[in-house]
Amino acid sequence: MPDSHPAHALARVAIVGDGRVGRAIAAALRQAGVDVQGPLGRGATGDDADLVLLAVPDAEIGRAAALVAPDRLVGHFSGATTLEPLAPHEALSIHPLTTVTGATSFAGVPAALAGSTVRALATAHALAESLGMAPFDVADEDRPAYHAAASIASNFLVTLESFAEDLAATAGVPRDALSPLVRATVANWEAHGAAALTGPIARGDEATLARQRDAVAERLPERAGLFDALVAATRDLRAREEVGS
């Protein structure tokens, strides 16, 4: 593809990988008026495309990229993977911060972008904007920290809420009873950040905290260490908030 090709041109986009992400991205791009080929099976070379997007498992990105014809822009959708496996192609990446389970609207979805050249990054932005995403740039050296943050925000939240669910069950309290509190807390954190912290640690109520710790040790002893670690982290958070206020 010649250097004069405008970065925003999204003609002839090939999607390689017929999984959930490949199908969802292909459908969304078509709806946005982009000429899309695929999803194509693994091994596709993208001969008839200007831009080849690899919607394959992380471990397969390098092998899939090696099969792509030269002089194409090549991209992937991985959150954890840098642009290195796409070399020597001019490379980009788009990682939507959402869960893709089927037909997915990407409107308003935050997306981490990277590009190996100015044109590649501009093309990543054009793609994201055509899908209605809210893009931001993440450099390759920052990719592990970014992806860890996403995992903490998503995966670890499920682990934490499952801890709460298990402890509540020992008192005969169903998970549904905790759901409104979880939603309200997430909404408050979204609006106020760490200032949304409430509860005995925020109040300095050590007596209540000690009773909570005793209950965890008695009913879920295997989670006592996790409770202690969360208490320590929450105390640090409270201290930081007090210094900043």
Side-chain angles (χ1 to χ4, degrees):
M1 192 162 50
D3 292 340
S4 60
H5 186 86
H8 64 273
L10 300 179
R12 297 188 298 173
V13 176
I15 308 290
V16 177
D18 193 17
R20 290 178 298 181
V21 172
R23 290 193 294 269
I25 292 289
L29 285 175
R30 283 195 180 97
Q31 189 172 9
V34 178
D35 180 9
V36 177
Q37 302 171 7
L40 306 173
R42 295 185 204 178
T45 61
D47 287 341
D48 298 324
D50 301 305
L51 170 63
V52 181
L53 299 175
L54 306 176
V56 299
D58 290 8
E60 299 295 324
I61 289 173
R63 282 187 284 272
L67 298 173
V68 175
D71 300 322
R72 271 75 178 163
L73 276 169
V74 182
H76 66 62
F77 298 102
S78 171
T81 307
T82 67
L83 297 176
E84 184 178 3
L86 301 178
H89 298 287
E90 193 173 0
L92 60 91
S93 70
I94 302 175
H95 178 238
L97 264 175
T98 189
T99 300
V100 178
T101 57
T104 301
S105 170
F106 295 97
V109 171
L113 310 184
S116 63
T117 65
V118 171
R119 181 178 65 161
L121 184 58
T123 301
H125 274 271
L127 273 168
E129 289 161 8
S130 73
L131 295 173
M133 294 174 170
F136 54 90
D137 297 351
V138 175
D140 267 10
E141 60 268 26
D142 295 325
R143 182 67 56 158
Y146 155 73
H147 197 248
S151 294
I152 292 167
S154 178
N155 307 150
F156 291 178
L157 179 60
V158 175
T159 301
L160 180 61
E161 297 307 337
S162 294
F163 176 17
E165 176 187 358
D166 291 346
L167 187 60
T170 70
V173 177
R175 180 179 62 194
D176 290 351
L178 300 175
S179 297
L181 176 61
V182 175
R183 288 193 293 269
T185 300
V186 170
N188 287 336
W189 170 79
E190 183 179 16
H192 305 293
L197 185 64
T198 63
I201 296 175
R203 298 192 302 269
D205 186 350
E206 293 297 325
T208 296
L209 187 61
R211 288 193 295 272
Q212 291 180 346
R213 208 282 180 190
D214 289 344
V216 172
E218 175 189 352
R219 301 188 179 199
L220 295 177
E222 71 279 9
R223 294 288 183 265
L226 175 57
F227 182 84
D228 291 341
L230 290 167
V231 167
T234 306
R235 280 181 170 143
D236 287 345
L237 183 60
R238 177 197 177 198
R240 282 166 38 199
E241 283 300 296
E242 287 178 342
V243 169
S245 61

